Amino acid sequence: MSTLSISSHPLIQHHLTRLRDVRTQPAEFRLLVRQLAQLLFAEAAHDLRLRPETVQTPLADCAAQRLGETIGLVPILRAGLGMAEAILELVPEAQVWHLGLYRDHKTLQPITYYNKLTGQATIDVCFVVDPMLATGGSATAALAILKEWGLTRLKYLGLIAAPEGVRALQAAHPDVAIHLAALDTHLNEHSYIVPGLGDAGDRQFGTQAI
Ligand code: PRP
Ligand code: URA
């Protein structure tokens, strides 16, 4: 069974509260998504391999370390975009591969509308990022596409999940570590996470229908 990590970091919990707040407007919402993504990534990246090197400081040689593997970031469009861009600031050398999936409002099935995974994968460890894990359909489909492409070391980073989504993801991809800021109680009749935060894409990009 894959590992499930739910952060208890005070900064993550503080920012998440502001993110959930219905009064938070898109500009602040986007900033919070960025900050949360960076904090969560720092936790999820705890086991990245390092390679030793010597760096010269103004005073002396210093035994040091640098990241020793190729990192891939895969935002699930569109809500994952803000997370990937924020993480890229921490690891600017990472590869970013976009996957476009939306969940059909009637069937709740994930529909893939953008996939530009070309050539042979050259990523050592891949972080799939999407704020919301609801039924788990989108994440499960995205991970299957990435494995088909050739990736073997995958991690999923989400801000809020429902137990239903975690169960579905763990059943389909028991090898993928899941990192979350919060695990909520349930899905409502429209498969929205409760209490959740509403529609993460709409709230980031100001497209909430009235
Ligand atoms: C949201 C969210 C996930 C998906 C989660 O995207 O960002 O990708 O729903 O739901 P699931 O676990 O039931 O598949 P949405 O389909 O609303 O697309 P958007 O990001 O373009 O708004
Ligand atoms: N997608 C969202 O943006 N929010 C939910 O609660 C469920 C799916």
Side-chain angles (χ1 to χ4, degrees):
M1 185 61 65
S2 65
T3 56
L4 171 63
S5 307
I6 301 163
S7 179
S8 56
H9 196 296
L11 285 177
I12 290 187
Q13 295 313 314
H14 176 75
H15 289 339
L16 186 63
T17 301
R18 295 166 59 204
L19 192 76
R20 289 184 190 272
D21 193 326
V22 67
R23 296 168 299 182
T24 300
Q25 297 300 305
E28 186 186 1
F29 193 93
R30 285 192 295 274
L31 179 63
L32 290 166
V33 166
R34 295 178 70 81
Q35 293 170 331
L36 282 161
Q38 291 186 338
L39 290 166
L40 205 57
F41 177 74
E43 291 191 348
H46 65 98
D47 59 351
L48 291 182
R49 290 181 200 124
L50 294 166
R51 70 178 150 72
E53 71 167 48
T54 302
V55 67
Q56 201 171 8
T57 79
L59 300 181
D61 281 354
C62 171
Q65 303 182 90
R66 266 186 212 275
L67 287 176
E69 46 193 358
T70 306
I71 296 171
L73 303 176
V74 175
I76 301 183
L77 308 181
R78 62 192 160 132
L81 269 176
M83 292 181 71
E85 284 170 9
I87 295 168
L88 199 54
E89 287 177 8
L90 297 180
V91 282
E93 63 288 343
Q95 298 181 14
V96 184
W97 296 87
H98 299 85
L99 271 185
L101 281 95
Y102 70 88
R103 111 182 150 152
D104 182 274
H105 281 296
K106 286 205 179 81
T107 66
L108 297 178
Q109 290 308 303
I111 313 288
T112 306
Y113 62 88
Y114 188 82
N115 174 350
K116 217 159 180 281
L117 305 179
T118 48
Q120 199 148 13
T122 54
I123 294 167
D124 295 319
V125 54
C126 176
F127 295 81
V128 176
V129 298
D130 188 342
M132 309 305 273
L133 180 64
T135 65
S138 305
T140 298
L143 287 163
I145 291 168
L146 292 166
K147 286 181 178 176
E148 178 73 20
W149 189 39
L151 300 185
T152 52
R153 241 173 99 212
L154 292 140
K155 294 170 185 261
Y156 175 88
L157 264 65
L159 300 184
I160 304 180
E164 295 88 332
V166 170
R167 279 197 294 273
L169 191 51
Q170 287 185 320
H173 300 288
D175 53 313
V176 175
I178 302 172
H179 294 267
L180 301 172
L183 180 61
D184 280 4
T185 57
H186 64 283
L187 295 174
N188 71 10
E189 64 278 19
H190 305 294
S191 286
Y192 270 78
I193 301 171
V194 183
L197 51 73
D199 189 300
D202 283 344
R203 291 199 64 189
Q204 269 184 83
F205 301 114
T207 51
Q208 201 147 17
I210 301 168

